[in-house]
Amino acid sequence: MGTAYTPLTVHALHADAPGGWLHIPQGTPAANIGLPLENKNPAIGILKPGTDRDPNTSEPGCQVRPDDYVWFQRVLARVGAAGLTAFAGDGESTAALLTTRQGSDFFQGFAHASAGTVQDESYTLLGEKFEGTDHVFRLNGERVQAFSGVAKDILDVLVTRKRRGQPEQHADVAAHRQRVHEWKTKRHGTFWDRKWGGVVSISRAGTVLAMRQVPPFDDD
């Protein structure tokens, strides 16, 4: 029995570098990167330039065309920010960064206390302040605490807060990009934190995952 193969063409960009600041094309200032998104539906298909008098043709695929550059930059910036707020357990702020088609409804109605005004789930890990959410579970019979969070200075500009007598605070995506860029120069990796009493893993984006054994209950 023969096997049918479908041709697939992949166009990708690769840079041999550790990463850095993403430059904004002229005419799209960074201050506009966090503007609200409309539920846009770009045309599907990769447009092939025509030759001579032949009209342009398209192939199956997805192409971001020049007219959609500004919109797509906002999509990427807001989705990246939403990933951080979701990691910290703040559903309300995550929903505010996404469109309906991206699943904002899934996150509405839930916000962890640490991402609001209570701030009751915050830890200083390896000398840096983080806020987020935690879970306690059993691993090989031992009770283990796992904390996932985001650096406080980054999360502060992303959370959506509603305070009585004050205007509602919305995410500042441009400030988030700047602070994440600054975080790339800080210490990152996986280390043992003696004060925390467990392992701590910090990413270059300012997120943290920390685990430690929970002391057993005192039955006396």
Side-chain angles (χ1 to χ4, degrees), residues 12-72:
L13 298 177
H14 173 71
D16 294 321
W21 184 252
L22 294 176
H23 294 284
I24 306 296
Q26 187 176 2
T28 57
N32 293 337
I33 203 76
L35 292 179
L37 287 174
E38 65 273 17
N39 283 306
K40 196 171 183 179
N41 187 19
I44 300 298
I46 300 175
L47 191 65
K48 296 175 59 178
T51 58
D52 297 331
R53 296 183 179 179
D54 294 334
N56 292 342
T57 59
S58 82
E59 292 185 351
C62 182
Q63 176 187 12
V64 181
R65 301 176 185 177
D67 292 343
D68 298 322
Y69 283 173
V70 175
W71 171 80
F72 193 60

Side-chain angles (χ1 to χ4, degrees), residues 161-170:
R161 291 193 177 101
K162 298 178 182 179
R163 295 177 178 174
R164 183 176 300 177
Q166 297 183 11
E168 182 177 349
Q169 173 184 319
H170 296 280

